[in-house]
Amino acid sequence: MPRPRRSDHFHVYVVLLADQVWNEPAYRKCNPDKDLLKPCLYVGMTGLDPDLRFDRHMAGVQANRFVLKYGVRLLPELYEAYNPMPYAAAQEMEVELAIALREAGYGVWQA
């Protein structure tokens, strides 16, 4: 396996959100085709380790409001295969992953 370059330190990550996020009108509006049997998620990208970024969300540091209020845990099985990567690739992958998960029936917030 090739060794990552210094610039390849960006990550996409997925956070499981508590079901109560579904009561938020903005979240519901962005997910009209959500399968009610699938969980609600947040998809983001970071230059930090995803575990550290999640901790920062939960501490209210540059936190997404849905993650701060409803964040449960990371779901590495949905993102680990993509990391690490360069900044531009992470930006693109964040959008692509959110779209793919939404198409699979998940509720997704991606900011």
Side-chain angles (χ1 to χ4, degrees), residues 7-104:
S7 63
D8 293 353
H9 72 275
F10 292 90
H11 305 267
V12 292
Y13 61 99
V14 178
V15 177
L16 173 65
L17 302 175
D19 292 338
Q20 291 83 354
V21 73
W22 191 241
N23 296 324
E24 296 275 356
Y27 194 92
R28 287 177 73 117
K29 185 177 179 182
C30 286
N31 293 285
D33 299 322
K34 181 188 178 302
D35 178 339
L36 294 177
L37 299 176
K38 293 199 175 181
C40 295
L41 308 173
Y42 171 84
V43 175
M45 67 155 285
T46 182
L48 303 172
D49 178 271
D51 290 316
L52 176 58
R53 181 65 187 106
F54 178 70
D55 291 344
R56 290 173 61 98
H57 274 293
M58 299 308 289
V61 179
Q62 296 176 320
N64 173 271
R65 66 185 174 117
F66 294 137
V67 178
L68 179 61
K69 190 170 181 182
Y70 302 106
V72 176
R73 64 181 174 88
L74 290 170
L75 294 174
E77 62 273 17
L78 296 179
Y79 64 84
E80 275 187 336
Y82 307 114
N83 296 329
M85 65 188 95
Y87 180 78
Q91 281 186 305
E92 189 174 315
M93 180 55 67
E94 176 188 10
V95 173
E96 289 178 12
L97 183 56
I99 290 168
L101 291 168
R102 192 173 280 123
E103 286 176 351

